[in-house]
Amino acid sequence: MKILLSFLQDTGGVPYPIPSYRFWTYYIKNGIEEAGMEWTELQDADWAKGLTFSEKSPELQEWKSQIWEDQLAFIRKNQKNIDLFLTYLYPKQIDIHAISEIKKMGIPCVNFFCDNIREFHVVPDEFKVFDLNWVPEFESLEMYNKQNVQNIHLPMPMWVDRQARSLEKITETNLVSFIGSKDILRERLLSEVINKGLPIEIYGRDWVRKQENTFSNSNKSLINVALNQWDFIKANGIKEYLLRRVNTLGANSKKEIDPAFLHPDIDFSEYIAITRNSSVILGINRVPTHKRLHSHPIKYSRLRDIEAPMLGACYLTEHCHGLSSMYELGKDIMSYNTSEELVDKASFLLNHASVRESLRINGQNKALKELSIPASLQKIKMALFR
């Protein structure tokens, strides 16, 4: 199968000031190649740039017009060498007319999107034009099915280098580790666990406090604050504004984590080594959002739930509904619901080397064989071409 990609590529310069995005292209291209399939792309297409523009701005409309014109021209020229158009596009990046034109050429169109549960109450109209929507969140399937939008439930597209798959090269550190950027929910959970007596080594962006500029807030006028709040209300409604206010006030009650457990952000090689060599690697699936109180957060399976087992980690992650659709819990990976359960299960794993080894073997086998990009592409192929 020959796949045309639009997966948040950019032109390779300085990354845009948007959440990490370049790894998606790296994963999907390598996964396609491992599947024995081929990929192609519109050269120098800056798909990621579309995320930098505000909704309905003239700049966004100009970008959309140009990039879709170029994409359609490329497809018309190479139509015979394209079996599938696979995208990772946000609604504002999508040109419904262009997708319809591609479908008329006989090329199926599939869009992957991984923030459905946080971003949407209903499926965006722009997604409905696709032949198939790749939905990784189990919790979002009801939304798609209720609106009769074509979808396929598949894991997050994850790929790890073959050199990082060997279990023989793992040297355990006897540590429990968490890797991920700081947010209020992660901080609150980890502080609870550490205060209950379980040491956790924490790595990632923003955990180590930088020296703050004491004058950073001096130019923020009350008028600017009020305008920002009004813009938020117009975009999200009064209910979500009140939820955000309650969450903001609640954030002040969090407990500080002993700096001895906190480490700065790490590079990719360190990330791989810590994930593989920690005796237990933790996953946290709760996410902060102004759509829900922090005391009852949204939880759904994240990319780490695929990546850590693929790397051969002994993986303990926060329970959510989607996990049991991928793994046999207790055999492939382990999960927890509360901070107390996290402490109990992590302590158990630290004291039982044979259980850790079994989880590493079973979790990796399941992830590489059934939850990989090659496995997902075969399921997409069967759904579209049967």
Side-chain angles (χ1 to χ4, degrees), residues 156-214:
M156 298 272 193
M158 181 68 226
W159 181 88
V160 300
D161 192 290
R162 291 183 183 276
Q163 295 182 357
R165 299 179 189 180
S166 173
L167 297 181
E168 296 178 358
K169 296 181 179 180
I170 289 175
T171 303
E172 287 197 333
T173 59
N174 200 36
L175 297 173
V176 179
S177 303
F178 172 77
I179 307 173
S181 59
K182 179 180 177 181
D183 68 40
I184 177 61
L185 296 183
R186 290 171 172 177
E187 183 178 26
R188 184 172 293 167
L189 175 64
L190 292 171
S191 66
E192 287 180 13
V193 170
I194 290 172
N195 287 332
K196 292 179 189 299
L198 179 69
I200 300 176
E201 302 301 316
I202 303 170
Y203 303 84
R205 190 176 66 249
D206 298 331
W207 288 106
V208 176
R209 184 176 298 171
K210 298 177 181 178
Q211 186 173 3
E212 298 180 2
N213 183 351
T214 56

Side-chain angles (χ1 to χ4, degrees), residues 4-225:
L4 172 62
L5 282 179
S6 165
F7 232 76
L8 298 187
Q9 299 100 311
D10 61 17
T11 54
V14 177
Y16 293 112
I18 54 179
S20 300
Y21 62 90
R22 283 180 169 171
F23 61 83
W24 290 112
T25 304
Y26 170 76
Y27 293 157
I28 198 69
K29 287 180 177 179
N30 280 287
I32 290 171
E33 292 174 2
E34 185 167 325
M37 301 178 182
E38 300 176 25
W39 59 267
T40 187
E41 61 186 347
L42 176 63
Q43 292 296 315
D44 299 320
D46 198 344
W47 288 102
K49 187 176 182 179
L51 298 179
T52 67
F53 302 122
S54 59
E55 200 82 38
K56 298 181 180 180
S57 67
E59 294 83 3
L60 176 62
Q61 299 309 313
E62 181 180 350
W63 172 85
K64 280 178 66 173
S65 177
Q66 185 61 61
I67 201 164
W68 282 106
E69 180 181 332
D70 293 343
Q71 185 69 91
L72 285 171
F74 177 86
I75 293 173
R76 292 188 183 104
K77 183 178 180 180
N78 299 276
Q79 184 176 346
K80 293 182 179 180
N81 295 314
I82 300 171
D83 299 315
L84 172 68
F85 185 35
L86 179 60
T87 66
Y88 178 2
L89 296 170
Y90 282 68
K92 67 180 182 179
Q93 295 172 288
I94 296 169
D95 185 317
I96 292 177
H97 174 73
I99 297 294
S100 298
E101 287 297 307
I102 296 168
K103 290 168 62 177
K104 288 178 183 177
M105 299 180 206
I107 300 173
C109 299
V110 176
N111 189 55
F112 164 77
F113 194 80
C114 64
D115 268 325
N116 292 279
I117 196 166
R118 274 200 290 187
E119 294 284 337
F120 311 128
H121 294 300
V122 296
V123 178
D125 289 339
E126 292 86 351
F127 287 0
K128 298 175 183 178
V129 70
F130 288 88
D131 293 288
L132 207 56
N133 286 272
W134 177 343
V135 182
E137 310 106 315
F138 179 87
E139 293 81 358
S140 292
L141 294 177
E142 182 180 0
M143 177 178 70
Y144 277 83
N145 293 332
K146 187 175 181 179
Q147 296 180 242
N148 294 316
V149 179
Q150 293 298 314
N151 69 83
I152 184 168
H153 176 44
L154 297 170
M156 298 272 193
M158 181 68 226
W159 181 88
V160 300
D161 192 290
R162 291 183 183 276
Q163 295 182 357
R165 299 179 189 180
S166 173
L167 297 181
E168 296 178 358
K169 296 181 179 180
I170 289 175
T171 303
E172 287 197 333
T173 59
N174 200 36
L175 297 173
V176 179
S177 303
F178 172 77
I179 307 173
S181 59
K182 179 180 177 181
D183 68 40
I184 177 61
L185 296 183
R186 290 171 172 177
E187 183 178 26
R188 184 172 293 167
L189 175 64
L190 292 171
S191 66
E192 287 180 13
V193 170
I194 290 172
N195 287 332
K196 292 179 189 299
L198 179 69
I200 300 176
E201 302 301 316
I202 303 170
Y203 303 84
R205 190 176 66 249
D206 298 331
W207 288 106
V208 176
R209 184 176 298 171
K210 298 177 181 178
Q211 186 173 3
E212 298 180 2
N213 183 351
T214 56
F215 300 100
S216 60
N217 295 321
S218 61
N219 293 324
K220 288 186 177 180
S221 69
L222 292 176
I223 294 177
N224 287 334
V225 172

Side-chain angles (χ1 to χ4, degrees), residues 355-366:
V355 178
R356 297 197 303 272
E357 182 181 10
S358 179
L359 289 173
R360 291 180 187 276
I361 294 170
N362 295 334
Q364 187 182 65
N365 283 338
K366 179 64 68 66

